[in-house]
Amino acid sequence: MSAMETVASPAISVQEQPGRNALSEPAMIRWLLTGVALLFLGFFLFLPLLAVFGQALEKGFSAYLAAIREPDCRAAIRLTLLVAAISVPLNLVFGVAAGWAVTKFRFPGKNLLVTLIDLPFSVSPIISGLIYVLVFGLQGWLGPWLYEHDIKIIFAVPGIILATIFVTFPFVARELIALMQAQGSDEEEAAMVLGANGFQIFWRVTFPNIRWGIIYGVILCNARAMGEFGAVSVVSGHIRGMTNTIPLHVEILYNEYNFAAAFAVASLLALLALATLAVKSLVEWKMRSPRPVRKPAQCAST
Amino acid sequence: MRIDLEKISKRFGDFHALNDISLNIPSGGLTALLGPSGSGKTTLLRVIAGLESPDSGRILFDGEDTTSSHVSERRVGFVFQHYALFRHMTVIENVAFGLRVRPRKDRPSKKEILERVNDLLHLLQLENFSDRYPAQLSGGQRQRVALARALAVEPQVMLLDEPFGALDAKIRLELRRWLRRLHDKINLTSIFVTHDQEEALEVADIVVITNEGRIEQVGTPEQVYESPANPFVMDFLGHVNLFRGRVHSGLAYLEGIELPAPEHHAAEDVPAVGYVRPHDLVLERKATGSGSIRATVERTQIVGSVVRVSLTINGNHEIIEAELSRDLFQKLALEKGERVYVRPRNVRVFADDDIQA
Ligand SMILES: Nc1ncnc2c1ncn2[C@@H]1O[C@H](COP(=O)(O)OP(=O)(O)OP(=O)(O)O)[C@@H](O)[C@H]1O
Ligand SMILES: [Mg+2]
């Protein structure tokens, strides 16, 4: 908002000669560092990605399709989509609520809440899964009661969903808290003085300012929800066609030495990762641009 | 609309941001809240708007208690210190916002909204920027958008928090005169915050001087400037020179001169300080009676239409500053190191007890 933003930065590069700057390193060092970085990326990221698709298509495209069409695999895909479809919206709601609460209100325990939101990031996924086993498992606190009432959570779909929600809940909340704290509540106060009610303030003022942050958080949250292995593995029970998500299915196939099929299914996750990356960079670009990228709207039309 | 504040207090933690403030703001006036940084000006304005609720005390709008009514019900216009424009809306959308969020039964038709907004944009000379986003405007333009946005809902009270704070001196001057004209044209009750004493004295009908969460003085610009209630006000409203000495039964003895100080008729030889503005120090080549103090010229400096002369008195190292017209300066032909006689006029004498209070 400051007037400084619009001031063009002074052209300091006027007298700079290409390649001969007191601040730049000798060419050799630059090439060396860039080379090391690229080699590293290639070795650890690009090569494996290539290997995944190479292995997946090793026995031809029809074998690839067959591996994906196989009923157990289809069940795994369905379950993964279901888990994401439930956990992502829930975490979206939680994230917006947490962001709103932390940035717009003063209340006791606020710092604790912000710290706790990060917990799933700092805890090993195995522990995250075990927490649920301890609570809902047969030997756990609620286990006997659940058994009596014939409710299955552990080694069933609800457990997988719970574990996934736990592992993914920081993504939206963290992104929004950082963004909303940076923006402050000036615009909301201005809207309030102008007579807007809470709902109008959220939809017309807050939401447009955070929507790219929301999308950013959601795609990362979704990628993790679909790809989570550790926590889900603990609570799933690995029942084929029932409680297997895509990552778990990949592991089973791999352990059965069915490499082509394992990599075929894994390639779905790799594609998801690539799509996530693409959307992520698009959103990052949108968030960086100083104002909404759209044509000036006419007053009466909005 | 008339606004009365009764014994308003506001604390943040153990910090008293507002301390028992009582103030009556007459309808239709332009009131300036003037005070140093951190003296509670913004807090007071926010309390009036309802953005902050006081810990104790009452706020009355036209005699009606509004202390507990919500911000959105008070229908005040508020111009924020940093504008707080909606960054994802164009100028025209910003200005129309307050009308568009009204409940359907009070909301003007789209056509009426557009008309009213366009009138405002015209009034504030913003027609050419109506489709721009705030980031595409200069500081002065943003300022005017913030004003237009606040005016669009036709408030009866306008609260402006350092409306000209972020602008350069020339635009400041233009905008504050413009604000004065606008205020007179649309008959509002306005309160604006500033820490620029010149701004307050020039445009306001009433100046309220705040300090550390309290009100030091309320009065017309002339009253506060000519008869400051205490040394703080005197000091805050422009440069002053201090002459130390004593008062005794209505007479002040300062730096070897004797001055009448009738308000201290009961004082019995107490330490006191005389405050004199630079333009109230008359410089002469010869002493006139017992009212002159001998001084030495240390430095002369031409500042626009006046000349500032720095002086020391009898080996005292404290610098005294006098201001005189260029004509007079040329007539006196003062040089550095020369001897001169200083005759203070309009000395305000405060006993030391007043100063501590
Ligand atoms: N939300 C808050 N929490 C804690 N302290 C606050 C808060 N708001 C204001 N204060 C304190 O109250 C005092 C008065 O603040 P205020 O913003 O009213 O000052 P001001 O007169 O507007 O100053 P300035 O001229 O610098 O804007 C300051 O000391 C400030 O630190
Ligand atoms: Mg302030």
Side-chain angles (χ1 to χ4, degrees), chain A residues 3-298:
Chain A
M4 299 298 288
E5 271 172 18
T6 53
V7 177
S9 58
I12 39 169
S13 57
V14 180
Q15 301 148 324
E16 209 172 81
Q17 286 163 5
R20 292 244 14 203
N21 183 316
L23 290 176
S24 71
E25 303 293 340
M28 209 184 69
I29 294 189
R30 254 188 301 156
W31 284 115
L32 195 71
L33 288 177
T34 318
V36 167
L38 284 180
L39 219 75
F40 189 88
L41 273 180
F43 192 74
F44 283 98
L45 288 174
F46 193 64
L47 219 61
L49 204 61
L50 222 71
V52 168
F53 286 104
Q55 286 275 354
L57 293 166
E58 198 186 32
K59 292 187 178 155
F61 194 65
S62 55
Y64 176 84
L65 279 186
I68 292 174
R69 287 220 188 109
E70 187 253 342
D72 284 350
C73 177
R74 292 230 301 263
I77 295 174
R78 265 201 307 276
L79 180 59
T80 299
L81 291 178
L82 175 75
V83 168
I86 294 175
S87 57
V88 173
L90 281 177
N91 278 334
L92 170 63
V93 172
F94 167 75
V96 173
W100 185 273
V102 166
T103 48
K104 314 286 177 195
F105 304 120
R106 296 168 222 165
F107 59 91
K110 186 158 124 173
N111 288 335
L112 190 69
L113 176 68
V114 176
T115 313
L116 282 181
I117 283 172
D118 279 346
L119 187 70
F121 276 175
S122 47
V123 162
S124 158
I126 301 291
I127 310 285
S128 313
L130 278 176
I131 298 168
Y132 290 98
V133 174
L134 283 179
V135 177
F136 300 111
L138 211 50
Q139 326 297 330
W141 298 338
L142 298 176
W145 187 88
L146 291 169
Y147 183 75
E148 264 168 44
H149 293 79
D150 207 19
I151 303 169
K152 271 193 81 77
I153 290 184
I154 299 305
F155 307 141
V157 175
I160 298 177
I161 292 173
L162 283 177
T164 307
I165 290 176
F166 180 79
V167 176
T168 56
F169 83 60
F171 285 99
V172 180
R174 261 171 75 114
E175 178 64 28
L176 287 189
I177 288 173
L179 187 64
M180 289 166 91
Q181 268 177 342
Q183 289 181 346
S185 43
D186 292 5
E187 289 183 40
E188 279 79 7
E189 284 189 345
M192 201 149 58
V193 178
L194 289 167
N197 61 37
F199 183 77
Q200 288 169 324
I201 293 175
F202 181 76
W203 277 114
R204 290 170 180 246
V205 178
T206 309
F207 180 72
N209 281 338
I210 60 171
R211 63 185 158 187
W212 291 112
I214 290 180
I215 294 173
Y216 188 89
V218 163
I219 50 173
L220 290 184
C221 178
N222 181 60
R224 183 69 188 266
M226 292 191 170
E228 173 59 24
F229 179 82
V232 169
S233 169
V234 176
V235 296
S236 141
H238 305 263
I239 308 164
R240 276 187 166 215
M242 302 265 298
T243 61
N244 259 356
T245 59
I246 298 178
L248 299 182
H249 191 62
V250 173
E251 197 214 10
I252 290 184
L253 290 173
Y254 186 83
N255 286 343
E256 290 171 348
Y257 302 104
N258 194 350
F259 295 133
F263 280 104
V265 181
S267 73
L268 295 178
L269 290 174
L271 283 175
L272 170 72
L274 290 177
T276 303
L277 266 186
V279 182
K280 181 170 165 279
S281 22
L282 180 78
V283 171
E284 278 171 354
W285 175 73
K286 288 266 191 191
M287 278 166 75
R288 263 201 312 270
S289 64
R291 52 190 167 273
V293 186
R294 62 167 170 147
K295 293 199 183 72
Q298 289 306 302

Side-chain angles (χ1 to χ4, degrees), chain B residues 194-232:
Chain B
T194 177
H195 52 229
D196 178 342
Q197 35 97 9
E198 205 185 301
E199 198 164 285
L201 296 178
E202 184 181 323
V203 295
D205 300 316
I206 302 283
V207 180
V208 177
I209 291 154
T210 60
N211 181 31
E212 292 180 347
R214 280 187 308 271
I215 291 179
E216 297 282 355
Q217 190 174 5
V218 181
T220 62
E222 198 188 326
Q223 280 167 351
V224 293
Y225 191 80
E226 298 296 340
S227 5
N230 55 40
F232 175 83

Side-chain angles (χ1 to χ4, degrees), chain B residues 42-63:
Chain B
T42 298
T43 309
L44 187 58
L45 216 57
R46 288 171 63 87
V47 164
I48 297 173
L51 287 167
E52 214 78 70
S53 56
D55 297 327
S56 60
R58 294 203 308 161
I59 304 157
L60 308 169
F61 279 22
D62 266 346

